[in-house]
Amino acid sequence: MAGIYIHIPFCKQACHYCNFHFRTNLRFKQPMLAAIAKELQLQKNYLQGKKIQTIYFGGGTPSLLAAEEIAAILITIQKHFAATEVQEITLEVNPDDVTQDKLSAWRTMGINRLSVGIQTFNDALLKYLHRAHNAAQAFASLQMIAEAGFANVSIDLIYAIAGQSEQMLQQDLALATQFAPSHISAYCLTIEPNTAFGHWLKTGKLHMVDDDTAAQHFHTVVSTLAANNYQQYEISNFSLPGFQAQHNTSYWQQHHYLGIGPSAHSYNGKSRQHNVAHNQQYITHIASGTIPSTVEALTTTDNINEYIMTSLRTSWGCKTSYLQTVYQYDILSTHGTYIQQLLNLQLACLEDDTLFLTQQGKLLADKIAADLFVV
Ligand code: SF4
């Protein structure tokens, strides 16, 4: 089983916090779509005939594309890959792109999961984040999506935004759960250097939310969503029973995937591949029949560390027996003293052979994982 990710590198405007690869100039949309089609053909053997289980359109803003442009990509995938039994096709959509015509076309072509970039229902915060939509468009899009009959819908929310009070966050959660989406991704706002917020932070125009407030927001998200029957299966991801995102879960479970488009990543168990994050360079290289990517061969140490990093973030936890069997790595004896400290501080718990982080431990997930790495 494997997945395909398609990166559509265009957006209407730049959100102040975003460090994904995208351009707001759509002049090269047609050559980009031609290059994506050609890369699918050039990479047809990357997954070695594995059955495609999931397809994910991300970006950027794939909902900017005309329905027929998305359909053409799906047809190209069908042509070159074992994609007759795909279970989940996700499209990331922004509220301001949603129309009844597009919804109907998306359903007809087999898209069965929408991931909607709501972020917040608060107009002042949407403006501050520099989103292209407002709260009224957010409500209208979710209403239309429900009426169009999509059963599998994910809403993205952001918390720990400067100026976002606890009450504002509770209101966002109340409004989001009112729509009963099958899935909610709730991300703590991080300030990345090459973004407008990163620049503002450097020049003193923006102050980061303090750790205590961010932790309080995280606990509010977790407890509110739990009270509404959402299971936290990954630190930032919550689903109603049976609606875990299959595509993202496959990343966390080390399944193979192919990423197509500028800045997309691929993984085949032996190496990671990163496409160039530059639209023109990507188009030029693909036109000449070469894939502009950097390949990083993975060592056993890389694989162990990757497993520790991702599994600790999930509800299925880090299986010590898996590390032992697959990599002959005995994490309990290598890091026994540190793990005992985590247990004593109630940052982690050990059930049978599996190490889990507690809610408090999840706030420190990156540091704990790094402390458990093989060096
Ligand atoms: S719409 Fe998404 S990808 Fe585009 S700038 Fe905003 S957050 Fe980034």
Side-chain angles (χ1 to χ4, degrees), residues 206-221:
L206 174 147
H207 295 285
M208 280 181 74
V209 167
D210 63 77
D211 287 352
D212 288 347
T213 305
Q216 178 54 47
H217 278 199
F218 175 69
H219 290 308
T220 299
V221 167

Side-chain angles (χ1 to χ4, degrees), residues 243-303:
F243 285 98
Q244 292 179 0
Q246 290 183 42
H247 187 83
N248 288 353
T249 299
S250 74
Y251 291 161
W252 305 321
Q253 294 185 334
Q254 281 75 41
H255 293 170
H256 298 186
Y257 57 87
L258 170 64
I260 297 287
S263 82
H265 294 188
S266 305
Y267 169 75
N268 64 3
K270 297 188 194 83
S271 66
R272 273 188 199 292
Q273 209 164 303
H274 313 258
N275 281 359
V276 67
H278 189 288
N279 287 3
Q280 270 311 99
Q281 284 179 22
Y282 172 79
I283 290 168
T284 308
H285 277 271
I286 296 288
S288 68
T290 56
I291 296 158
S293 62
T294 312
V295 180
E296 177 199 349
L298 296 173
T299 62
T300 302
T301 300
D302 292 331
N303 284 325

Side-chain angles (χ1 to χ4, degrees), residues 2-11 20-22 36 39-40 43 46-47 52-62 73-74 77 81 86 88-92 115 247-248 250-251 256-267 273 275 282:
I4 294 180
Y5 171 82
I6 308 285
H7 190 84
I8 305 298
F10 300 109
C11 291
F20 293 125
H21 170 71
F22 67 92
I36 284 172
E39 194 192 356
L40 280 165
Q43 296 273 47
Y46 183 85
L47 296 169
I52 305 302
Q53 187 182 11
T54 59
I55 298 172
Y56 192 103
F57 288 90
T61 310
I73 296 173
L74 286 171
I77 292 174
F81 295 87
V86 180
E88 181 189 273
I89 306 180
T90 302
L91 181 74
E92 284 183 356
S115 173
H247 187 83
N248 288 353
S250 74
Y251 291 161
H256 298 186
Y257 57 87
L258 170 64
I260 297 287
S263 82
H265 294 188
S266 305
Y267 169 75
Q273 209 164 303
N275 281 359
Y282 172 79

Side-chain angles (χ1 to χ4, degrees), residues 38 43 50 54 58 140 158 162 166 206 225 235 242 256 261 325 334:
K38 184 155 180 195
Q43 296 273 47
K50 284 192 168 56
T54 59
I158 298 181
E166 172 72 17
L206 174 147
L225 295 183
I235 289 182
H256 298 186
T325 314
T334 309

Side-chain angles (χ1 to χ4, degrees), residues 31 60 83 138 205 360:
K205 202 176 150 191
Q360 207 54 32

Side-chain angles (χ1 to χ4, degrees), residues 330-349:
D330 187 344
I331 193 172
L332 291 176
S333 59
T334 309
H335 288 292
T337 312
Y338 180 70
I339 289 173
Q340 191 55 53
Q341 281 171 2
L342 295 176
L343 301 180
N344 294 345
L345 291 167
Q346 298 184 339
L347 293 172
C349 52

Side-chain angles (χ1 to χ4, degrees), residues 11 13 15 17-18 22 59-61 94 131:
C11 291
Q13 64 184 48
C15 301
Y17 56 91
C18 178
F22 67 92
T61 310
N94 276 348
R131 294 289 302 178

